[in-house]
Amino acid sequence: MALVAFLVSACVETAQLAWLPGRDASLSDLLTNTGGATLTAWLVAHRAALLRPGPALARRLALGWLALVVLVLGGT
């Protein structure tokens, strides 16, 4: 899926560079579009396990969110 996301984003960025004046094609757009599409595809593929996790996965998810909250609060 990441390859498809990369190729589609690369086509869009190339079109912006070649045919759309006033639009900026950038590597950061390519990377963020690819990463976002890949993450979304992974979340869709694993949505059942994430919406109704077993006890072990629920514990790992809770600890992960706790770590994220601590990082965000500590960073601000």
Side-chain angles (χ1 to χ4, degrees):
M1 184 62 198
L3 180 61
V4 172
F6 174 80
L7 292 173
V8 169
S9 186
C11 287
V12 169
E13 294 301 317
T14 302
Q16 285 182 351
L17 184 64
W19 299 303
L20 298 172
R23 298 294 305 250
D24 293 329
S26 69
L27 180 61
S28 64
D29 283 350
L30 179 65
L31 295 176
T32 55
N33 291 343
T34 301
T38 302
L39 176 63
T40 301
W42 185 87
L43 288 171
V44 168
H46 294 89
R47 68 183 174 273
L50 293 171
L51 291 174
R52 291 197 171 94
L57 180 57
R59 191 175 307 111
R60 287 197 321 259
L61 288 171
L63 288 173
W65 279 109
L66 174 63
L68 180 65
V69 167
V70 167
L71 283 172
V72 168
L73 291 176
T76 58

